[in-house]
């Protein structure tokens, strides 16, 4: 067993209270050499150690602006890759648990997207007529694919601006991997549902006819987030029957039906801001991950507000949950020891191409 693996095993046995003390001590030792960024879905015991929190767009910007030698990213793998691409080469990007992935991001891979591009190319002039748009929830090689083909990245908070930018240049969009963000955003821009077709990546030509492809304005990859699939229109109907004055807010990764029944649809940052800014006494039904909703509820309850989780079933993002105090203590103490572990380093050529697509996104964002 290597020294590193031995050390991780040692940390895995620690209880949360011990980790708390060790994390604090390591932070003091590192001072401003380290910055800890965290996504809103992080569990409480990790969240409290973050210097900055945000949605995917905000965290991307923070990574690009940080001066710290070490950026410890409490989130999932694709977010850490983006932070690595946008930070300086002399900064080290650390993901406390390398197994913290994103099941939606895994629903698209380079081989399948390249096959889709080739197959679409038999029906359309893809390079001039189809804009590849990848949700930030995707691997770096898919961002690089977009970079190579004049395409762009989007997040849940700038999707509308990115689609406007895309349609200003090309007639159609290939959107991956989340069909729901694509459909919900396209519909709110006035694109009829029948002009948004779903590309089944396991079938030849996405399971579509050539005519369906020619008629479509958006071709939506058949990916989804399993956490946000847990929310259903019936949950909203039940809430509205019980609380007619209540408000409903959902993340755009939720289904079309859930988003259509919601009063507000927006990114994690938008959800938090909207509930915080609402009138005292407002009751909200919230369709996004449980850690965020529970924390928000604790924050706003003093004003008589309620933030209620949309599903009767507990559904956390299990990969976000992988970042625990044990892994955080381990990576921080490894930095103190001068032996960084769990570095995320996107290969230079891939990073440069992905950066082109990310820079287009940042330029197109408000
Ligand atoms: P946000 O960009 O809204 O934080 O969303 C990221 C995500 O993975 C939601 O499931
Ligand atoms: Fe991925 Fe869904 Fe988790 Fe967001 S909530 S990181 S989309 S699996």
């Amino acid at each position: 067993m290597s020294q590193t693996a031995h050390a991780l095993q040692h940390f895995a046995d620690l209880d949360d209270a011990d980790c708390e003390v060790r994390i604090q001590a390591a932070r003091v030792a590192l001072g401003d050499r380290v910055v800890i960024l965290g996504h809103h879905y992080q569990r409480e015991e990790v969240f409290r150690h973050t210097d900055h929190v945000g949605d995917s767009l905000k965290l991307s910007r923070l990574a690009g602006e940080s001066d710290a030698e070490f950026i410890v990213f409490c989130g999932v793998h694709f977010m850490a890759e983006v932070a690595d691409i946008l930070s300086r080469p002399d900064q080290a990007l650390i993901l406390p648990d390398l197994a913290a992935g994103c099941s939606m991001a895994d629903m698209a891979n380079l081989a399948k997207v390249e096959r889709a591009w080739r197959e679409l190319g038999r029906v359309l002039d893809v390079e001039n007529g189809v804009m590849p748009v990848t949700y930030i929830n995707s691997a770096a090689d898919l961002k690089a694919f977009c970079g190579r083909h004049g395409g762009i990245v989007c997040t849940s908070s700038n999707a509308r601006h990115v689609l406007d930018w895309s349609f200003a240049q090309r007639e159609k969009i290939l959107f991956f991997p989340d069909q729901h963000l694509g459909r919900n955003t396209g519909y709110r821009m006035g694109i009829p549902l029948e002009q948004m077709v779903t590309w089944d990546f396991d079938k030849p030509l996405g399971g579509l006819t050539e005519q369906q492809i020619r008629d479509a304005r958006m071709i939506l990859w058949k990916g989804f987030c399993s956490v946000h699939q847990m929310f259903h229109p019936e949950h909203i109907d039940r809430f509205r029957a019980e609380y007619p004055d209540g408000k409903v807010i959902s993340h755009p990764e939720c289904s079309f039906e859930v988003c259509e029944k919601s009063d507000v649809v927006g990114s994690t940052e938008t959800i938090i801001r909207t509930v915080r800014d609402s009138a005292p006494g407002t009751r909200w039904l919230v369709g996004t991950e449980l850690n965020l909703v529970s924390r928000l509820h604790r924050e706003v309850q003093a004003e008589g507000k309620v933030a209620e989780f949309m599903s009767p079933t507990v559904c956390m993002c299990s990969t976000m949950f992988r970042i625990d105090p044990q892994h955080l203590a381990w990576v921080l103490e490894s930095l103190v020891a001068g032996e960084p572990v769990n570095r995320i380093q996107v290969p230079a050529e891939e990073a440069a191409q992905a950066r082109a697509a990310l820079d287009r996104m940042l330029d197109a964002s408000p």
Side-chain angles (χ1 to χ4, degrees), residues 179-199 208 212 215-220 255-257 259-260:
Q179 57 175 301
H180 299 295
L181 176 64
R183 187 177 296 109
N184 289 323
T185 310
Y187 188 76
R188 278 157 194 252
M189 292 168 69
I191 302 173
L193 286 180
E194 51 289 2
Q195 289 180 17
M196 295 189 275
V197 293
T198 310
W199 182 272
L208 301 166
Q212 282 175 309
D215 292 343
R217 296 209 60 210
M218 289 187 72
I219 299 157
L220 307 171
S255 71
F256 176 73
E257 294 75 18
C259 289
E260 279 307 287

Side-chain angles (χ1 to χ4, degrees), residues 121-197:
R122 285 188 221 125
V123 183
L124 305 165
D125 173 5
V126 280
E127 294 297 341
N128 295 304
V130 183
M131 184 62 75
V133 179
T134 187
Y135 188 22
I136 197 163
N137 297 36
S138 56
D141 59 359
L142 292 183
K143 296 181 178 82
F145 172 90
C146 288
R148 287 196 294 281
H149 293 280
I152 187 165
V153 179
C154 78
T155 74
S156 57
S157 54
N158 62 15
R160 171 73 199 246
H161 296 273
V162 167
L163 294 200
D164 280 340
W165 178 93
S166 302
F167 280 128
Q169 300 183 59
R170 297 188 193 169
E171 195 194 334
K172 298 180 195 292
I173 287 174
L174 172 64
F175 190 96
F176 45 88
D178 185 24
Q179 57 175 301
H180 299 295
L181 176 64
R183 187 177 296 109
N184 289 323
T185 310
Y187 188 76
R188 278 157 194 252
M189 292 168 69
I191 302 173
L193 286 180
E194 51 289 2
Q195 289 180 17
M196 295 189 275
V197 293

Side-chain angles (χ1 to χ4, degrees), residues 287-304:
T288 198
E289 205 265 351
L290 183 61
N291 280 298
L292 182 158
V293 182
S294 308
R295 186 180 309 116
L296 187 57
H297 177 69
R298 286 196 295 277
E299 182 193 316
V300 299
Q301 63 184 348
E303 296 174 63

